[in-house]
Amino acid sequence: MKHIIQQVFHSGKFVFGFSIFATILLIVIFYPLFVPDPPLTILGQGTFFPPGIYVSVYDSLSATSYTLNLDEAAAKRIASKLSQEDRQAVKEWLIAAGIPEAEIDPANTEQLLDQWFANYDSKKNVPGMTNAKRNYYIRLNNALKGLLSPDAATVSQTNPQTGEMEQIDTINQTDYVNVSEVANLRLLPLGTDNFGRDILTELIAATRVSLQIGFVAGIIATLIGLTLGLLAGYVGGVVDDAIMFVTNLFTVIPTFVLLILISFSIGQEQRGAFTIAVVIGLTSWVWTARAVRSQVISLRNRDHVNLSKLSGHSIVHIILSDILPYIASYVIMALILQISSGILAEAGLSILGLGPRTTEVPTLGLMINWAMIYQAHILGNWWAYMPVLVTIALITFSMNLMNTGMDQVFNPALRD
Amino acid sequence: MKGYLRYFLNKLGWFAITFVFAFLLNFILPRLMPGDPVAAIVARFAQGMSNSTGVQAIYEQYVELFGTNKPMWEQFVIYLQNVAKGDFGFSFSQYPRTVADVLKASLWWTIALQFPAIIVGWLIGNTLGALAAYLKGGFDKVLMPLSIFVSNFPPFGMAVIFMVVFGVNLKWFPTSGGYGFDLIPSFSWQFIQSVIIHYQMPFWSIVIIAIGGQAIGMRSMAIYELNADYVKYSRFMGIKDSKIVGYVFRNAMLPQITGLALSIGTMVGGALVAEIVFSYPGLGTTLLRAVLGQDYPLISASTLIITVMVLFANFIIEILYGFIDPRIKAVQAD
């Protein structure tokens, strides 16, 4: 046993897959210890806030302000306000004013503004320009001047006694607050989803639930498959025929169709994560049963099994001590594949709207389902679906790598 | 020919038994559902109606129409008779359209999308897998991890990524539907062009997933075969490499054909979900709408059609396999 484990851990593929999987497991276990928020708390009012650090504006006003004189501050401020169309309009004007196109770079804000203020003249008559366009340029010029003016912004508050607005503070353009002194800030590394929930916390909870679903489904499927395969292969005769009849039926009837029918029949109310896992397990044992059976048939007439039979051991004893050890490696590999396909099956069902009931726990499939319903993929809100897809792909990829690695250890013909 | 006939009849028998069983499952499972779908549909139709006898009349009319008031076995007999006539009853969610009508509109989209995609994916995947086993080295080192990754990628995930990259960002292809929303299905050049453009993304997202899985399977098959004694023997005899590769490819191909027959159900399942992502007007999208509308005649009929499609594809592959596999030919010669 120890030797086999050592051998398995010498396989590069297995170790790589195992380390990805172990990392995911560790994150799933330890993250909730550091961030104890319930995963489905609704934080944001609105949908799909982009990832980033959210700093309370109100608290920033009362935090100590520091004056920093940074050279690029003004340029950056304007750059963030100047839209792509405005830049294009400025470029058009400059070309009309006689500046060679090669010298104008709409992306370089500082240079663009210098050129603008050097060349703009509201009285200049550009041939072919409409009046609306001329007014637009005047507005644009004023807006740019406003942005550049060193005036402070005024903060005022309604006096509760008189009901009048009173100035309580002014904020200069050179005022800064230290983020660590602001009372309230929240890091949303993956933004929020369509309900305004923190995606990272939700994703990790979802990964945990999906892994649990995978494990339950995988273990159920493997147990059923193993039992039926052992019975069919070892006992043979009528038992074999009966089991193979059922197995052949379920091989051809698409599992996905069965899953849809069963989960629909269970109904929305009864459909918890655990129920879905059991349903997936009950519908996906076929492959294991077939494979175990064929392995057992090849083992059935080996000398050590015959010897055991002659010694009068019971069927249970023979199966447990003379047959199981020989197929154990195979069964573990099958279990790994079952877990990963169980996770995929849950995701597929959830996208169809047949996943676990939505109010209690998130699962990876449900997160995709929500993102799709709220059209995150069309709106360009990548943080709502991409991390989920990557997580699913990483889980199944790591499990299949482990499987391939083990396959190469146990099947020498496949070794490189 | 006698041997082949026996093989054919055996497969046909299996096909029939599986079909009956699938049909039964299809009838029974949705009817075990708690709650009354007729009540749900009536509640929607009767919204704003204050006349309770009117609601009652509507309810009874629907119960009569769908036959949900009769005992289970009687419903089954009626269902059997109707299905034989191609009549699946009315759709609950898209009433007054019949289920047959809804399915007729979506079935061909699915067939035209999935079967070419699966076959193309299978062909490319097998070629790449065989090449990887034969060439080894760099090609194998690049192709294998890539195939493992791609084949483990969920089908809907591939669809979403295709859509975001090629549809939303690059704007090469439209993001949803089977044809332009401003067109009416007809045999005009404009319509066909629109269908072809809308076809690309769902098609390739299914093909790529299929390639990955098939390449892995073919590679290990071909490696087994390349190490087999007959290959070594042929090399000793000085038979040309290209000829040996031909033998190896053929022998490795046989299990892959059975593999295709067995995995076609899974592939179709994945592709149905991919359809949903692209709102392709096929069975997947219909199924989604049926689930959302608690429409059990439609669900039951769609799953039945999908099962029959998969069973039929399976049957065809098995029959073809009988022609190709030399062992079955050997039985025929006896």
Side-chain angles (χ1 to χ4, degrees), chain B residues 12-329:
Chain B
L12 192 68
W14 261 110
F15 181 67
I17 294 173
T18 320
F19 176 74
V20 169
F21 196 73
F23 188 80
L24 275 174
L25 275 182
N26 233 324
F27 173 79
I28 297 169
L29 285 176
R31 280 169 179 76
L32 296 179
M33 181 186 56
D36 182 357
V38 177
I41 194 178
V42 171
R44 203 168 32 192
F45 269 85
Q47 247 166 21
M49 274 180 73
S50 54
N51 183 350
S52 65
T53 42
V55 174
Q56 184 67 24
I58 292 178
Y59 178 78
E60 271 158 21
Q61 194 191 348
Y62 273 84
V63 165
E64 196 61 36
L65 201 58
F66 298 126
T68 47
N69 57 344
K70 303 197 176 74
M72 199 70 121
W73 65 269
E74 212 172 310
Q75 282 186 43
F76 182 70
V77 173
I78 296 172
Y79 183 65
L80 204 61
Q81 284 167 347
N82 288 339
V83 169
K85 283 182 286 181
D87 174 10
F88 291 96
F90 287 104
S91 156
F92 282 3
S93 60
Q94 299 181 38
Y95 189 84
R97 283 180 85 190
T98 62
V99 170
D101 197 26
V102 177
L103 286 183
K104 224 182 283 168
S106 55
L107 177 63
W108 295 110
W109 291 100
T110 293
I111 292 181
L113 173 67
Q114 296 199 0
F115 283 82
I118 288 173
I119 289 170
V120 169
W122 186 80
L123 285 177
I124 301 180
N126 279 314
T127 317
L128 287 180
L131 278 179
Y134 182 68
L135 295 177
K136 293 181 184 148
F139 186 69
D140 190 29
K141 287 264 179 319
V142 175
L143 184 75
M144 277 332 280
L146 211 65
S147 304
I148 295 183
F149 188 76
V150 164
S151 67
N152 292 314
F153 211 77
F156 53 85
M158 191 57 83
V160 171
I161 287 179
F162 263 62
M163 181 165 183
V164 170
V165 173
F166 298 113
V168 178
N169 289 340
L170 293 176
K171 295 196 170 61
W172 287 358
F173 301 108
T175 51
S176 70
Y179 49 87
F181 58 87
D182 51 347
L183 296 174
I184 297 164
S186 62
F187 269 106
S188 66
W189 170 236
Q190 196 192 10
F191 179 72
I192 293 171
Q193 197 181 14
S194 167
V195 166
I196 292 173
I197 292 174
H198 281 79
Y199 189 73
Q200 300 307 318
M201 282 206 298
F203 180 78
W204 290 107
S205 71
I206 299 171
V207 167
I208 290 214
I209 298 277
I211 287 180
Q214 295 299 328
I216 297 170
M218 186 62 181
R219 175 180 172 270
S220 30
M221 279 298 148
I223 288 179
Y224 266 121
E225 292 291 332
L226 280 171
N227 291 330
D229 288 341
Y230 73 89
V231 174
K232 285 174 194 153
Y233 186 64
S234 316
R235 287 220 168 108
F236 283 135
M237 302 239 301
I239 295 177
K240 262 186 283 170
D241 234 25
S242 59
K243 194 148 195 184
I244 300 178
V245 168
Y247 289 136
V248 166
F249 191 71
R250 192 174 152 164
N251 280 344
M253 205 66 168
L254 289 173
Q256 284 297 97
I257 295 177
T258 338
L260 177 66
L262 292 174
S263 62
I264 211 160
T266 322
M267 286 181 171
V268 168
L272 286 176
V273 180
E275 265 183 26
I276 293 175
V277 175
F278 292 109
S279 317
Y280 205 72
L283 287 175
T285 315
T286 307
L287 205 53
L288 174 70
R289 263 193 250 139
V291 168
L292 295 179
Q294 295 270 310
D295 186 348
Y296 86 50
L298 189 51
I299 292 182
S300 155
S302 330
T303 47
L304 186 66
I305 292 264
I306 294 167
T307 316
V308 169
M309 265 165 47
V310 171
L311 285 184
F312 192 67
N314 233 304
F315 182 62
I316 300 276
I317 295 171
E318 299 255 18
I319 294 304
L320 286 179
Y321 185 70
F323 277 117
I324 303 164
D325 191 344
R327 278 162 295 185
I328 292 172
K329 271 192 199 149

Side-chain angles (χ1 to χ4, degrees), chain A residues 10 35 39 41 79 118 123 125 136 161 212 229 231-232 290 306 390:
Chain A
H10 275 299
V35 184
T41 340
K123 296 191 183 61
N125 212 352
Y136 164 78
Q161 261 120 43
Q212 284 166 346
L231 280 178
R290 286 176 84 106
N306 283 330
V390 170

Side-chain angles (χ1 to χ4, degrees), chain A residues 33-63:
Chain A
L33 300 181
F34 296 110
V35 184
D37 298 356
L40 293 182
T41 340
I42 293 173
L43 302 175
Q45 208 175 47
T47 61
F48 298 126
F49 296 169
I53 306 171
Y54 287 74
V55 183
S56 160
V57 179
Y58 192 86
D59 292 337
S60 323
L61 291 180
S62 49

Side-chain angles (χ1 to χ4, degrees), chain A residues 252 265 287 351-352 385 396 400, chain B residues 29 33-34 152 156 164 288 311:
Chain A
V252 196
S265 308
W287 292 102
I351 289 181
L352 260 180
Y385 58 88
T396 52
N400 275 270
Chain B
L29 285 176
M33 181 186 56
N152 292 314
F156 53 85
V164 170
L288 174 70
L311 285 184

